[in-house]
Amino acid sequence: MTIRRCPASRDTGWRSRLRGAFFHSVEKQTDLLIIGAGPFGLAMAAYAADLGLDYLMVGKPMGFWRDQMPAGMFLRSAADWHLDPTGRCTIERFLQTRSLTPADGEPLSLQTYLSYTDWVQEEAHLVPLPRQVERLDQIDVAQARFRASLENGDSIIAKHVVIAVGFKYFRHIPQDLVDRLPPGCFAHTCDRVDFKDLGGRRCLIIGGRQSAFEWAALLHEAGAAAVHLSYRHDSPRFAEADWSWVNPLVERTIDEPGWYRRLSPAEQEATNRQLWAEGRLKVEPWLEPRLRTDTVTLWPRTEVVAARELPAGALLVRLDNGEALTVDQIILATGYRVDLSRVPFLVQGDVLPRVTTRNGFPMLDNHLQTNVPGLFITSMAATQDFGPFFAFTVSARASARLLGGALVD
């Protein structure tokens, strides 16, 4: 499975010439194609460049983070969750270039994190091709070669493909909830990140975890007249999450990649519950003072049972506790759920029917490779086999190391 090394892979001039040649040609060839330029894609590209591998990365750099997360958002992770598997381009080093310490920079704002990823690209000489893949096909089974057809009509032939699309295609909108809401009256959190038009408006957020509470704070600060949160569980605690136990488990994955899948179902569930307790049963304490306002009303242990449009265009929403809320916008903070059949370029191509899946997830080997030789899948889609940590940026470095180990062995 060894792929050739490219001595010029860290040469910025070479990268610029390659990019220019790409936009003037119909078809390019590479040993490694990385689809996705988010944290996992960038980490893989940084490691591939360090190893001297011949690779191309396609996608808008940090596109999901830029387009489908709201300005003013803060990350729950600290400065130790950096992206560079080589350990050179750390968040701490980036903050030092701005004369800041981690304590100064935390909690990390979305803008700070995006500036960090821009800096990683510059320091590691990463040049993603800003194109979207429209379809992925396997064109030579014997040689394990793939063709990625791009939106502009160009294509890339690759021996190996890493799919690192993150959360982009996996927004979860429960059908039973949709059935209770008028069509077109709701949006998922990742599709409702600009709040300028919601000043003076009344909003209902369905969901009660970190994103729901943060959207509520941002809506209040954008001038919303009222913000309601309805969720089925008890209210989470305002308490700092403890992620210290996560890092050792992620590092263990590098040396012992199959450890999570070898756990018994009960042991896996215990690990998942521990992460759930930190990430879902707590809300970061820096949100609490921002929500101490008459504008925000919490409705714990409730569920929407019906909703209808009023003549003036507002919505009348009924909760199962008997309360009736009049709102102008409904936002679903209902999270994400992996289902490979929702990835458009896989659906359009011929690769998806060949990939063995379980519960919508790909079944992966210890190097994140599917049963289709040369096709690797990482990030959130790897959580079933590698643990819930792979839904978090803390695993981007381990992912790159696992993939790199397979490609150079």
Side-chain angles (χ1 to χ4, degrees):
M1 194 183 296
T2 303
I3 67 178
R4 72 179 182 271
R5 296 172 182 267
C6 181
S9 64
R10 295 186 68 85
D11 180 346
T12 55
W14 179 87
R15 279 288 171 197
S16 298
R17 291 193 298 275
L18 183 150
R19 180 172 58 173
F22 174 85
F23 288 122
H24 291 88
S25 64
V26 174
E27 188 168 86
K28 295 297 295 182
Q29 295 198 17
T30 185
D31 281 334
L32 172 62
L33 172 62
I34 304 167
I35 302 177
F40 281 76
L42 291 174
M44 184 65 242
Y47 200 48
D50 187 71
L51 294 173
L53 303 181
D54 174 45
Y55 79 94
L56 289 173
M57 174 170 51
V58 297
K60 179 180 178 181
M62 298 296 289
F64 184 84
W65 293 65
R66 295 181 191 280
D67 299 336
Q68 295 179 278
M69 295 186 186
M73 192 186 88
F74 287 87
L75 278 64
R76 305 190 73 180
S77 53
D80 59 333
W81 286 19
H82 68 86
L83 298 182
D84 186 3
T86 72
R88 291 189 291 265
C89 296
T90 65
I91 297 177
E92 290 188 2
R93 185 178 160 220
F94 166 71
L95 292 173
Q96 288 172 3
T97 67
R98 297 188 165 196
S99 300
L100 297 173
T101 67
D104 296 326
E106 295 172 359
L108 295 171
S109 69
L110 174 62
Q111 187 53 55
T112 296
Y113 191 72
L114 290 175
S115 296
Y116 161 67
T117 61
D118 289 342
W119 176 79
V120 169
Q121 292 173 69
E122 181 178 350
E123 290 289 303
H125 311 306
L126 309 181
V127 186
L129 302 174
R131 292 286 185 267
Q132 294 297 315
V133 175
E134 288 198 335
R135 62 179 294 149
L136 182 67
D137 296 287
Q138 189 173 28
I139 59 174
D140 188 334
V141 175
Q143 297 297 318
R145 296 170 73 231
F146 302 87
R147 174 185 286 117
S149 302
L150 307 185
E151 60 187 343
N152 67 342
D154 291 346
S155 61
I156 300 172
I157 304 298
K159 186 176 181 182
H160 302 87
V161 175
V162 172
I163 297 175
V165 295
F167 291 71
K168 182 175 182 178
Y169 303 114
F170 302 137
R171 62 174 62 78
H172 177 50
I173 301 178
Q175 186 59 49
D176 63 336
L177 181 56
V178 171
D179 293 341
R180 298 176 223 152
L181 302 176
C185 76
F186 57 86
H188 192 274
T189 47
C190 71
D191 298 315
R192 206 31 160 125
V193 297
D194 186 345
F195 309 130
K196 294 185 181 68
D197 63 327
L198 293 176
R201 311 289 280 175
R202 299 157 296 183
C203 303
L204 168 64
I205 299 173
I206 300 177
R209 304 305 183 190
Q210 175 75 19
S211 62
F213 279 80
E214 188 157 18
W215 260 245
L218 292 169
L219 283 166
H220 164 65
E221 291 157 4
V227 182
H228 299 274
L229 280 80
S230 170
Y231 41 93
R232 293 175 293 183
H233 47 80
D234 291 333
S235 294
R237 295 185 295 122
F238 289 100
E240 184 177 354
D242 176 15
W243 306 112
S244 61
W245 60 279
V246 172
N247 290 348
L249 294 182
V250 173
E251 290 298 316
R252 178 183 177 185
T253 302
I254 298 172
D255 298 321
E256 191 185 345
W259 73 267
Y260 178 81
R261 80 174 88 226
R262 288 197 297 270
L263 297 177
S264 68
E267 290 170 327
Q268 287 187 354
E269 180 61 20
T271 301
N272 296 346
R273 284 189 176 279
Q274 187 174 1
L275 193 69
W276 175 269
E278 294 301 328
R280 300 294 184 266
L281 301 184
K282 296 178 181 178
V283 170
E284 294 299 322
W286 39 262
L287 273 175
E288 186 174 14
R290 297 167 59 189
L291 294 168
R292 285 199 195 119
T293 168
D294 293 338
T295 303
V296 178
T297 304
L298 307 184
W299 299 98
R301 299 180 297 282
T302 64
E303 190 170 356
V304 172
V305 293
R308 64 181 177 88
E309 291 187 75
L310 299 174
L315 300 161
L316 181 63
V317 180
R318 297 194 179 277
L319 305 181
D320 61 357
N321 66 351
E323 291 288 340
L325 310 175
T326 302
V327 300
D328 304 295
Q329 173 73 59
I330 297 175
I331 298 174
L332 306 184
T334 47
Y336 299 83
R337 181 172 294 176
V338 171
D339 182 352
L340 282 192
S341 68
R342 296 176 60 191
V343 180
F345 63 81
L346 290 179
V347 173
Q348 294 299 319
D350 68 2
V351 171
L352 184 60
R354 306 178 189 191
V355 176
T356 301
T357 62
R358 180 166 59 90
N359 304 321
F361 291 81
M363 296 184 69
L364 305 172
D365 70 10
N366 283 349
H367 289 282
L368 297 157
Q369 184 173 216
T370 69
N371 64 294
V372 178
L375 180 65
F376 301 79
I377 301 180
T378 187
S379 189
M380 188 182 185
T383 53
Q384 182 169 256
D385 283 338
F386 285 82
F389 328 104
F390 268 66
F392 296 82
T393 59
V394 67
S395 297
R397 301 192 306 271
S399 166
R401 296 276 298 278
L402 291 175
L403 289 162
L407 296 171
V408 299
D409 283 346

Short mmCIF file of all heavy atoms in Angstrom, two decimals, residues 4 15 25 36 83 106 139 145 148 152 159 187 230 237 240 258 273 288 308 315 329 344 356 364 384 397 404:
data_model
loop_
_atom_site.label_atom_id
_atom_site.label_comp_id
_atom_site.label_asym_id
_atom_site.label_seq_id
_atom_site.Cartn_x
_atom_site.Cartn_y
_atom_site.Cartn_z
N ARG A 4 4.11 6.79 -3.38
CA ARG A 4 5.40 7.43 -3.58
C ARG A 4 5.49 8.75 -2.83
O ARG A 4 4.51 9.45 -2.62
CB ARG A 4 5.63 7.68 -5.08
CG ARG A 4 4.78 8.77 -5.71
CD ARG A 4 5.14 8.93 -7.18
NE ARG A 4 4.39 10.00 -7.81
CZ ARG A 4 3.22 9.88 -8.37
NH1 ARG A 4 2.63 8.69 -8.37
NH2 ARG A 4 2.60 10.90 -8.92
N ARG A 15 3.83 24.03 -5.04
CA ARG A 15 2.39 23.95 -4.79
C ARG A 15 1.64 24.97 -5.64
O ARG A 15 0.57 24.69 -6.17
CB ARG A 15 2.10 24.21 -3.31
CG ARG A 15 2.32 22.98 -2.45
CD ARG A 15 1.24 21.97 -2.70
NE ARG A 15 1.57 20.71 -2.05
CZ ARG A 15 1.01 19.58 -2.33
NH1 ARG A 15 0.11 19.49 -3.28
NH2 ARG A 15 1.35 18.48 -1.69
N SER A 25 -6.20 22.25 -16.57
CA SER A 25 -6.19 20.91 -17.13
C SER A 25 -7.50 20.21 -16.82
O SER A 25 -8.24 20.61 -15.93
CB SER A 25 -5.03 20.10 -16.56
OG SER A 25 -5.19 19.93 -15.18
N GLY A 36 -12.07 17.05 1.68
CA GLY A 36 -12.44 17.75 2.90
C GLY A 36 -11.27 18.53 3.44
O GLY A 36 -10.17 17.97 3.59
N LEU A 83 -3.93 20.78 15.67
CA LEU A 83 -4.16 19.93 14.50
C LEU A 83 -2.91 19.26 13.94
O LEU A 83 -3.03 18.31 13.17
CB LEU A 83 -4.78 20.77 13.37
CG LEU A 83 -6.14 21.39 13.63
CD1 LEU A 83 -6.62 22.13 12.40
CD2 LEU A 83 -7.14 20.32 14.03
N GLU A 106 -8.21 31.43 25.96
CA GLU A 106 -9.33 30.53 26.23
C GLU A 106 -10.44 31.24 27.01
O GLU A 106 -10.15 32.10 27.85
CB GLU A 106 -8.82 29.32 27.02
CG GLU A 106 -7.84 28.46 26.23
CD GLU A 106 -7.21 27.36 27.08
OE1 GLU A 106 -7.54 27.29 28.29
OE2 GLU A 106 -6.38 26.60 26.56
N ILE A 139 -12.44 3.42 -10.72
CA ILE A 139 -12.30 3.21 -12.16
C ILE A 139 -11.41 2.02 -12.49
O ILE A 139 -11.38 1.57 -13.63
CB ILE A 139 -11.76 4.47 -12.85
CG1 ILE A 139 -10.39 4.85 -12.27
CG2 ILE A 139 -12.74 5.60 -12.72
CD1 ILE A 139 -9.73 6.00 -13.01
N ARG A 145 -7.79 2.33 -8.15
CA ARG A 145 -7.73 3.72 -8.58
C ARG A 145 -9.12 4.32 -8.58
O ARG A 145 -10.11 3.66 -8.90
CB ARG A 145 -7.08 3.83 -9.97
CG ARG A 145 -5.64 3.38 -9.99
CD ARG A 145 -5.11 3.27 -11.40
NE ARG A 145 -4.89 4.59 -11.99
CZ ARG A 145 -5.37 4.96 -13.18
NH1 ARG A 145 -6.11 4.13 -13.88
NH2 ARG A 145 -5.09 6.16 -13.66
N ALA A 148 -12.27 11.32 -8.94
CA ALA A 148 -13.13 12.31 -8.31
C ALA A 148 -13.48 13.35 -9.35
O ALA A 148 -12.59 14.03 -9.90
CB ALA A 148 -12.42 12.97 -7.13
N ASN A 152 -16.36 21.86 -11.41
CA ASN A 152 -16.02 22.66 -12.58
C ASN A 152 -15.75 21.82 -13.82
O ASN A 152 -15.30 22.34 -14.84
CB ASN A 152 -14.80 23.55 -12.28
CG ASN A 152 -13.54 22.74 -12.06
OD1 ASN A 152 -13.61 21.54 -11.81
ND2 ASN A 152 -12.39 23.38 -12.14
N LYS A 159 -4.84 7.05 -6.38
CA LYS A 159 -4.69 5.67 -5.94
C LYS A 159 -5.33 5.45 -4.58
O LYS A 159 -5.85 4.37 -4.29
CB LYS A 159 -3.20 5.30 -5.89
CG LYS A 159 -2.95 3.83 -5.59
CD LYS A 159 -1.47 3.49 -5.65
CE LYS A 159 -1.23 2.01 -5.36
NZ LYS A 159 0.23 1.69 -5.38
N ALA A 187 -35.35 25.53 11.07
CA ALA A 187 -34.02 25.36 10.49
C ALA A 187 -33.12 24.73 11.53
O ALA A 187 -33.27 24.98 12.73
CB ALA A 187 -33.44 26.69 10.04
N SER A 230 -36.84 24.44 24.60
CA SER A 230 -37.62 23.28 25.03
C SER A 230 -36.78 22.03 24.84
O SER A 230 -36.25 21.79 23.75
CB SER A 230 -38.91 23.17 24.19
OG SER A 230 -39.55 21.94 24.43
N ARG A 237 -25.98 21.23 33.79
CA ARG A 237 -25.31 22.11 34.75
C ARG A 237 -24.38 23.06 34.03
O ARG A 237 -23.76 22.71 33.02
CB ARG A 237 -24.49 21.28 35.75
CG ARG A 237 -25.30 20.38 36.66
CD ARG A 237 -24.41 19.71 37.69
NE ARG A 237 -23.46 18.79 37.10
CZ ARG A 237 -22.14 18.88 37.23
NH1 ARG A 237 -21.60 19.90 37.91
NH2 ARG A 237 -21.34 18.00 36.67
N GLU A 240 -17.59 23.59 33.99
CA GLU A 240 -16.53 23.37 33.02
C GLU A 240 -16.37 21.88 32.75
O GLU A 240 -16.25 21.07 33.67
CB GLU A 240 -15.22 23.97 33.52
CG GLU A 240 -14.08 23.87 32.52
CD GLU A 240 -12.82 24.54 33.03
OE1 GLU A 240 -12.88 25.19 34.10
OE2 GLU A 240 -11.78 24.42 32.35
N GLY A 258 -7.09 -0.61 17.59
CA GLY A 258 -8.30 -1.40 17.72
C GLY A 258 -8.85 -1.50 19.12
O GLY A 258 -9.79 -2.25 19.36
N ARG A 273 -20.88 7.06 27.68
CA ARG A 273 -21.62 7.80 28.71
C ARG A 273 -20.71 8.78 29.45
O ARG A 273 -21.15 9.86 29.85
CB ARG A 273 -22.27 6.82 29.70
CG ARG A 273 -23.50 6.14 29.14
CD ARG A 273 -24.24 5.35 30.22
NE ARG A 273 -25.46 4.77 29.71
CZ ARG A 273 -26.61 5.43 29.58
NH1 ARG A 273 -26.68 6.70 29.95
NH2 ARG A 273 -27.68 4.83 29.11
N GLU A 288 -23.42 31.07 31.38
CA GLU A 288 -24.44 31.34 32.39
C GLU A 288 -24.77 32.83 32.52
O GLU A 288 -25.95 33.22 32.46
CB GLU A 288 -24.05 30.74 33.73
CG GLU A 288 -25.14 30.88 34.78
CD GLU A 288 -24.80 30.15 36.07
OE1 GLU A 288 -23.63 29.75 36.25
OE2 GLU A 288 -25.71 29.97 36.90
N ARG A 308 -48.81 25.30 14.70
CA ARG A 308 -49.55 25.75 13.52
C ARG A 308 -49.26 27.22 13.25
O ARG A 308 -48.88 27.97 14.14
CB ARG A 308 -51.05 25.53 13.69
CG ARG A 308 -51.69 26.33 14.81
CD ARG A 308 -53.18 26.02 14.91
NE ARG A 308 -53.82 26.71 16.02
CZ ARG A 308 -54.33 27.94 15.94
NH1 ARG A 308 -54.26 28.62 14.80
NH2 ARG A 308 -54.90 28.49 17.01
N LEU A 315 -46.11 31.57 14.66
CA LEU A 315 -46.37 30.16 14.91
C LEU A 315 -46.86 29.98 16.34
O LEU A 315 -46.29 30.56 17.28
CB LEU A 315 -45.09 29.35 14.72
CG LEU A 315 -44.45 29.39 13.34
CD1 LEU A 315 -42.99 28.94 13.43
CD2 LEU A 315 -45.21 28.52 12.35
N GLN A 329 -39.74 32.03 14.83
CA GLN A 329 -38.71 31.17 14.23
C GLN A 329 -38.46 29.98 15.15
O GLN A 329 -38.37 30.14 16.37
CB GLN A 329 -37.41 31.95 14.05
CG GLN A 329 -36.23 31.12 13.59
CD GLN A 329 -36.31 30.69 12.13
OE1 GLN A 329 -36.39 31.51 11.24
NE2 GLN A 329 -36.33 29.38 11.90
N PRO A 344 -23.42 13.38 -0.84
CA PRO A 344 -23.81 13.47 -2.25
C PRO A 344 -22.82 12.85 -3.23
O PRO A 344 -23.22 12.15 -4.16
CB PRO A 344 -23.98 14.98 -2.48
CG PRO A 344 -24.28 15.54 -1.14
CD PRO A 344 -23.50 14.70 -0.18
N THR A 356 -18.93 -1.55 2.80
CA THR A 356 -19.68 -2.26 3.84
C THR A 356 -19.99 -1.28 4.98
O THR A 356 -19.09 -0.62 5.50
CB THR A 356 -18.89 -3.45 4.39
OG1 THR A 356 -18.59 -4.34 3.31
CG2 THR A 356 -19.68 -4.20 5.45
N LEU A 364 -14.52 -0.06 9.31
CA LEU A 364 -13.14 0.35 9.04
C LEU A 364 -12.15 -0.61 9.68
O LEU A 364 -12.43 -1.21 10.72
CB LEU A 364 -12.91 1.76 9.59
CG LEU A 364 -13.88 2.84 9.10
CD1 LEU A 364 -13.67 4.14 9.88
CD2 LEU A 364 -13.72 3.07 7.61
N GLN A 384 -18.01 4.96 15.17
CA GLN A 384 -18.52 3.65 15.54
C GLN A 384 -17.39 2.66 15.83
O GLN A 384 -17.47 1.85 16.75
CB GLN A 384 -19.43 3.09 14.44
CG GLN A 384 -20.04 1.74 14.78
CD GLN A 384 -21.13 1.34 13.81
OE1 GLN A 384 -22.32 1.43 14.11
NE2 GLN A 384 -20.74 0.91 12.62
N ARG A 397 -5.19 14.62 14.93
CA ARG A 397 -3.78 14.23 14.84
C ARG A 397 -3.63 12.71 14.82
O ARG A 397 -2.87 12.15 14.03
CB ARG A 397 -2.99 14.82 16.01
CG ARG A 397 -3.04 16.33 16.10
CD ARG A 397 -2.02 16.86 17.11
NE ARG A 397 -2.11 16.27 18.42
CZ ARG A 397 -2.88 16.73 19.41
NH1 ARG A 397 -3.65 17.79 19.21
NH2 ARG A 397 -2.88 16.15 20.60
N GLY A 404 -1.38 7.92 7.86
CA GLY A 404 -0.02 8.00 7.35
C GLY A 404 0.72 6.71 7.50
O GLY A 404 1.49 6.29 6.61
#
